[in-house]
Amino acid sequence: MVRAIYPGSFDPITYGHIDIARRASTLFDELYVVVMENKKKNYTFTVEERVEMVKECLKDIPNIHVDTFSGLLVEYTAQKNIDVVIRGLRAVTDFEYELQMALANKEIRNGVETIFLMTDKNYSFLSSSLVKEVASFGGKISQWVPEFVEIMVRKKYEKHAK
Ligand code: PNS
């Protein structure tokens, strides 16, 4: 049984993330999509909201488990006996950060391999921040996130506007 983890902030999940999760789920017996904390980010959504959105968007894929964890990624992988980390790569600008994380994770827990899936060409520019920026100005985001997420994002910015 080969398990992999697809960790991220998912603030919020986009079609780019969904595409990576879907493709990774076909490569492994079990895929853990885990909502984690990136210390460099100030989140718009609570961890509960991010998990709710991820669960809703991936509920039709039977070998995906959605979870959350607030410690080190490698601690989670050790607990669950997972040796493969999946990350999506968009442009070359992602590379340095991803390389640093992959090498650091391997250094902390020997045996953890990171596998990068290239983004679908349609989503190579897409990010959660872009979705939020456009939504904050009232722009259209339905081409980038499922309806469930769109509603949550809209609610968030309505609240902020009040
Ligand atoms: O979607 P993101 O923000 O690029 O995901 C980054 C994330 C959450 C996967 C990364 O920050 C992470 O692994 N956080 C957990 C804490 C940890 O292990 N940090 C050290 C990474 S080398």
Side-chain angles (χ1 to χ4, degrees):
M1 169 93 57
V2 186
R3 297 192 178 104
I5 179 172
Y6 176 34
S9 294
F10 307 110
D11 188 45
I13 188 168
T14 68
Y15 280 133
H17 298 123
I18 294 169
D19 173 63
I20 297 287
R22 234 175 240 293
R23 285 158 57 203
S25 74
T26 67
L27 301 173
F28 298 92
D29 298 309
E30 286 187 316
L31 181 71
Y32 287 76
V33 179
V34 184
V35 177
M36 289 200 169
E37 208 182 314
N38 180 341
K39 293 279 181 200
K40 296 188 197 88
K41 291 186 177 169
N42 285 318
Y43 291 115
T44 305
F45 293 93
T46 64
V47 70
E48 290 79 15
E49 289 169 330
R50 287 183 278 142
V51 168
E52 188 186 358
M53 290 185 278
V54 172
K55 278 192 173 157
E56 179 63 29
C57 295
L58 300 175
K59 66 182 182 197
D60 62 320
I61 308 175
N63 65 335
I64 287 187
H65 308 277
V66 179
D67 201 358
T68 177
F69 190 67
S70 57
L72 281 176
L73 166 59
V74 289
E75 276 171 26
Y76 187 90
T77 63
Q79 281 175 21
K80 297 275 183 192
N81 208 10
I82 296 171
D83 292 328
V84 180
V85 178
I86 298 291
R87 295 284 290 173
L89 262 192
R90 290 166 302 187
V92 70
T93 44
D94 282 344
F95 183 76
E96 233 174 289
Y97 166 61
E98 293 298 337
L99 177 71
Q100 188 185 35
M101 271 208 303
L103 295 181
N105 284 333
K106 200 169 182 176
E107 174 92 21
I108 307 170
R109 184 169 170 251
N110 195 20
V112 170
E113 290 293 348
T114 303
I115 295 183
F116 295 101
L117 294 186
M118 295 301 150
T119 182
D120 183 280
K121 64 181 182 338
N122 295 321
Y123 307 128
S124 57
F125 62 93
L126 182 54
S127 68
S128 303
S129 336
L130 178 87
V131 170
K132 289 183 283 187
E133 168 147 7
V134 172
S136 72
F137 289 103
K140 176 173 173 272
I141 56 167
S142 57
Q143 67 283 31
W144 298 326
V145 295
E147 194 183 357
F148 184 85
V149 175
E150 185 184 358
I151 292 167
M152 300 268 290
V153 174
R154 294 263 174 246
K155 269 195 205 143
K156 192 65 74 174
Y157 287 102
E158 269 166 29
K159 256 188 229 160
H160 285 182
K162 275 174 198 164

